[in-house]
Amino acid sequence: MATVVRLTRMGRNKTPFYRIVVTDSRKKRDGGSIETIGYYNPLSNPQTVKFDAERLAYWKSVGAKLSDRVAKITGK
C-alpha cells in the first residue's frame, strides 16, 4: 500500500483549516485516513501548525511520502 502524508480540508466556506493525515495515496483528498497526526490553520495570526513529530518520523521510516505542502509547513 502506498501511503502519503497530506492535508485534508475541514472548516466552513472561506474559513478553511486542515488536518495533517496519513492515508492511502489512491483515496480522495477528504477520503478516509489511516491516522491524524496534526493540524494546520492558515487563517490564524500567526499561522498555527501542530503535529506529532514522532509519528511523522515513524511514517516516513516505513515509506510514507510527504506531499509538497506538508513538507513545506513541517520543515522536513
Side-chain angles (χ1 to χ4, degrees):
M1 176 169 71
T3 55
V4 64
V5 180
R6 64 182 175 200
L7 299 175
T8 185
R9 190 179 194 276
M10 306 296 287
R12 296 181 298 167
N13 288 342
K14 302 186 191 251
T15 57
F17 70 92
Y18 300 90
R19 288 185 181 157
I20 302 170
V21 298
V22 180
T23 188
D24 184 350
S25 64
R26 297 167 290 189
K27 293 212 178 217
K28 296 178 182 178
R29 177 193 72 186
D30 297 334
S33 63
I34 299 169
E35 182 179 4
T36 301
I37 60 173
Y39 65 89
Y40 167 59
N41 187 353
L43 298 179
S44 65
N45 192 8
Q47 294 179 348
T48 306
V49 177
K50 184 173 180 179
F51 63 96
D52 187 348
E54 184 177 307
R55 292 304 293 167
L56 181 61
Y58 166 76
W59 282 107
K60 283 178 60 177
S61 72
V62 296
K65 304 288 184 193
L66 298 180
S67 70
D68 294 337
R69 180 59 58 181
V70 171
K72 185 176 180 179
I73 65 175
T74 60
K76 305 287 181 184

